[in-house]
Every structure is written in C-alpha cells, then in structure tokens.
Amino acid sequence: MKSHTVGLIGAMDEEIELLLNEMECSQRVVKAGITYVKGALQGKEVVVCKSGVGKVNAAITTQVLIDSFGVSQILFTGVAGALDPELNIGDIVISSSCMQHDMDVTPLGFQRGVIPYQEVSDFPADKELVSLAEAACQTLEDVSYKIGRVLSGDQFIASRETVELLYGELQGACAEMEGSAVAQACYMNGVPFVVIRSMSDKADGSAHVNFAEFTVASSRRSHRIVSRMLSQLGTVQ
C-alpha cells in the first residue's frame, strides 16, 4: 500500500531552506549524493530535498523519492524565467504540463520537444494538485499566477530570440532546468506531480541584474504557496 508521504523538491538551497526550517521531527538520509530530509509539515508526512541543477539531477532525485520513500505526490518548487510576455517578475506559473525544450530531433522529422518513439512528450500535471496550487495562489493577495506549460532544458535562457522561439513554437509559459525531468519520472511511475515556479527574471538577458535579488523573494512566495497546499492535501489521494 502506497504511503501518503509528499515529496517536496527544490533545485537550490534558497528554495528549500524555509521548508526545512519549519519541519518537525526531521531525519536526514543520503542517497545518490542527495540529502533527503524526512519529517512533518502542516501535519503531513513529507520528504524535502534539493535536487541540484539540471534534468539528470532532477530525474534521479525523483526516482529515489518514489523508490526509497514511497511518496504519493511530488511538488517541485523554485524559480524560473518568464517566456509569456504577460508574466512579470514575482508572478507564479503552475504547470499544466512539462516538456523538454532542448529535446531536438528535428533533423529526423520530429517536432521540437518530441521524444522519439515515445507516446508522450508533454507530461500533464495532476489536475487535483493544479487545482490546489491555484486555490493557494488565490488566497494570497499579492500573488498573480498563470497555469501553463513549463519548459525545461539544460541551459540558462538569456536571449530575447530564444524566448520568442520557445513561447511561439512550444507555447511555454516559463523556462527552467528541472521540471520536465521530474514530470517524466512521475509519469513513468504513475505518481501525481505539479511544478510551481516563481518568476525571477524575464529570460531575456537581464538575469544578471534580476536573478540574485529576486531568487530569495521568489522562493519565499513559492514557499507560502506550498505551505498552503500542504495544509489542504488531505483530500488528495
């Protein structure tokens, strides 16, 4: 029987620090070089971890959460660069789905983002978790949010041309470096997930000005949403 433990992943220290500070009865376990912290948050059993940057780190971390800790849902939280021109720094994107923008086999006739010979390349987030994330955003007066496709790739997007390409061709709301790997691992294992990203920059070359300053503030905003979601997770199975 699957446990009702929630896996919480961030890619950077700033993204999980606030969660760790609030945990009760925490226990640390190291697997594959990643530290997993077991404990309780908002009355729910959770495992919190920092995946590290990039899709390989994220995929390994997710599989360990599923195999070794038996998590029943996974929430990935952190920052991202906005692709949708309507998004501003500090806004939230809740994943409707996740896709790899750097999966590019177009010379063989596949569309950009499509994983060859695989039925699914755009991995849908769990609708109930998306609804919980949306409800959490609605309770926070200073939060603007959008539900949209999260694009992931092992590169930091920093040019307006690339932003326009990813938004126009793949309809991505935001770009980051881990979400689609978490999504694919969850999809392959039948584990519900959602990715919640707070915009730290506009992915347009200005990140050197914005990123460090807004990462801390964005992480706080994401933390408030995750905390609200955890308090309401009793209805999600």
Side-chain angles (χ1 to χ4, degrees), residues 6 8 19 41-42 44 46 75 225-234:
V6 183
L8 304 175
L19 294 171
L41 273 173
Q42 299 290 335
K44 307 299 189 300
V46 299
L75 313 182
I225 294 167
V226 169
S227 294
R228 296 276 183 142
M229 289 181 68
L230 284 173
S231 70
Q232 301 296 317
L233 261 177

Side-chain angles (χ1 to χ4, degrees), residues 110-123:
F110 295 91
Q111 292 184 342
R112 185 180 183 127
V114 170
I115 304 170
Y117 318 117
Q118 187 164 298
E119 289 185 4
V120 177
S121 298
D122 186 23
F123 301 100

Side-chain angles (χ1 to χ4, degrees), residues 26-154:
S26 61
Q27 173 191 359
R28 293 176 181 266
V29 179
V30 178
K31 290 183 178 291
I34 304 293
T35 299
Y36 298 81
V37 184
K38 299 173 61 179
L41 273 173
Q42 299 290 335
K44 307 299 189 300
E45 294 298 316
V46 299
V47 180
V48 177
C49 57
K50 181 182 76 171
S51 64
V53 175
K55 292 187 297 179
V56 174
N57 280 327
I60 291 171
T61 299
T62 303
Q63 195 64 50
V64 170
L65 278 173
I66 294 167
D67 288 344
S68 297
F69 298 97
V71 298
S72 53
Q73 299 105 14
I74 289 181
L75 313 182
F76 193 107
T77 180
V79 299
L83 299 175
D84 187 324
E86 294 183 358
L87 288 168
N88 294 307
I89 292 171
D91 289 352
I92 297 291
V93 170
I94 302 166
S95 64
S96 56
S97 65
C98 297
M99 182 179 248
Q100 298 177 57
H101 67 75
D102 62 349
M103 176 62 68
D104 187 355
V105 197
T106 52
L108 297 183
F110 295 91
Q111 292 184 342
R112 185 180 183 127
V114 170
I115 304 170
Y117 318 117
Q118 187 164 298
E119 289 185 4
V120 177
S121 298
D122 186 23
F123 301 100
D126 180 74
K127 290 182 179 179
E128 289 183 281
L129 291 177
V130 170
S131 294
L132 276 180
E134 183 175 22
C137 287
Q138 290 172 346
T139 65
L140 302 174
E141 294 181 359
D142 59 339
V143 171
S144 296
Y145 72 93
K146 173 167 285 202
I147 298 172
R149 179 178 290 159
V150 173
L151 299 183
S152 309
D154 287 327

Side-chain angles (χ1 to χ4, degrees), residues 144-166:
S144 296
Y145 72 93
K146 173 167 285 202
I147 298 172
R149 179 178 290 159
V150 173
L151 299 183
S152 309
D154 287 327
Q155 54 193 255
F156 193 95
I157 305 302
S159 77
R160 289 181 176 85
E161 292 77 16
T162 305
V163 168
E164 292 172 1
L165 173 68
L166 295 181

